[in-house]
Amino acid sequence: MADVHELASRLTKAVTERTAIDPLTDDVRDLDLETGYAVQRVLREQAGPRAGWKLGVTSRAKQAQVGVSDPVFGFLPGAAALDLGAPLRTGELIQPRAEPEIVFVLGRDLAGEHVTAADVLSATSGLAVGIEILDSRFRDYRFTMADVVADNTSAARFVVGTPVPAAGIDVRLVGVLLEKNGQLVATASGAASLGHPAAAVAWLVRRLAASGEGLAAGEVVLSGGLTAATPVVAGDVVTVTIDRLGTVELACT
């Protein structure tokens, strides 16, 4: 049986030493999703105050590609948040990549096994543009789903723009632009996340309910990457624009 504390220590050491490691499943062949989440819980207990949650593998096409039928989730440590205008210090990371996100800011607690997208929108105090910085601790982003869950879904840093009221915004239809150094990298719509980003957040709430947890007022939820993630290095500038939500720019140093 896998020692979840030992596996969590491997990942923590990789972060501290800024050195990629081989996937856990290379020598823990029976590592499954449940055990991956157990490793993630150990990391969460060690991470200090939580800012919120994040979703991964929310694209139906990506799910089919990797052979899963549901997204995965991770947590956002408060220490991982970047302030607007603050740079991303790439030297603190291993192999950072940026992706655009629609961010939900919770106005009230939300929990339960039967929460719907409509419930999520009702509980949302605002929507915002987000940029998530992924940084897999596994060499060359080579991992299984159990590995990436254990590695907190590659979470590293994130920045959230100024929230706007959700009323009247159909987040399925908003257009998304990802630019790097003034060049268009990718486009998408909100529907890239499970067909509706609020449905992705509702899935998260139902999944957390299985362990007696939920979302808390004031927390943010990154509802899933809307394009492929783009690698970034010092000197890059990443810009994400989402219709009706605004624009966020992140400089890399």
Side-chain angles (χ1 to χ4, degrees):
M1 181 174 293
D3 182 338
V4 296
H5 290 276
E6 190 274 329
L7 296 179
S9 293
R10 291 192 206 181
L11 293 164
T12 300
K13 182 179 179 183
V15 171
T16 302
E17 298 183 353
R18 299 192 294 279
T19 302
I21 61 175
D22 292 328
L24 305 178
T25 49
D26 276 10
D27 60 7
V28 185
R29 301 287 184 175
D30 60 347
L31 186 71
D32 57 14
L33 277 177
E34 182 180 354
T35 308
Y37 278 115
V39 175
Q40 187 187 120
R41 281 193 293 274
V42 173
L43 296 175
R44 196 189 337 158
E45 291 166 1
Q46 299 171 348
R50 187 177 67 244
W53 303 86
K54 57 159 291 188
L55 285 141
V57 197
T58 52
S59 159
R60 293 298 190 192
K62 182 67 173 178
Q63 289 176 7
Q65 179 184 350
V66 299
V68 298
S69 57
D70 285 317
V72 294
F73 70 90
F75 67 93
L76 299 172
L82 298 173
D83 206 354
L84 286 171
L88 172 71
R89 302 188 187 282
T90 57
E92 298 176 351
L93 304 175
I94 302 168
Q95 45 192 348
R97 299 181 179 182
E99 65 182 17
E101 301 265 352
I102 293 174
V103 182
F104 288 71
V105 181
L106 272 292
R108 59 177 172 82
D109 295 354
L110 186 61
E113 298 177 354
H114 306 291
V115 165
T116 66
D119 296 325
V120 169
L121 291 169
S122 176
T124 297
S125 64
L127 299 169
V129 178
I131 300 175
E132 183 181 13
I133 300 299
L134 304 174
D135 190 35
S136 176
R137 271 54 73 170
F138 302 122
R139 193 170 290 110
D140 301 322
Y141 279 76
R142 181 176 69 88
F143 46 68
T144 68
M145 292 307 299
D147 287 310
V148 75
V149 165
D151 189 30
N152 193 26
T153 61
S154 304
R157 302 286 188 273
F158 66 98
V159 59
V160 177
T162 303
V164 301
I169 299 176
D170 188 339
V171 287
R172 295 174 304 162
L173 304 179
V174 294
V176 181
L177 301 178
L178 172 63
E179 298 173 278
K180 185 168 72 174
N181 302 329
Q183 300 297 312
L184 183 63
V185 174
T187 63
S189 69
S193 179
L194 276 194
H196 197 303
V201 179
W203 175 88
L204 171 64
V205 177
R206 296 192 297 268
R207 182 65 175 75
L208 289 173
S211 55
E213 298 182 279
L215 306 183
E219 287 191 321
V220 299
V221 180
L222 307 187
S223 59
L226 298 169
T227 71
T230 187
V232 293
V233 297
D236 285 342
V237 177
V238 176
T239 306
V240 172
T241 301
I242 301 180
D243 289 346
R244 305 190 64 184
L245 303 189
T247 298
V248 168
E249 185 175 279
L250 178 62
C252 304
T253 62

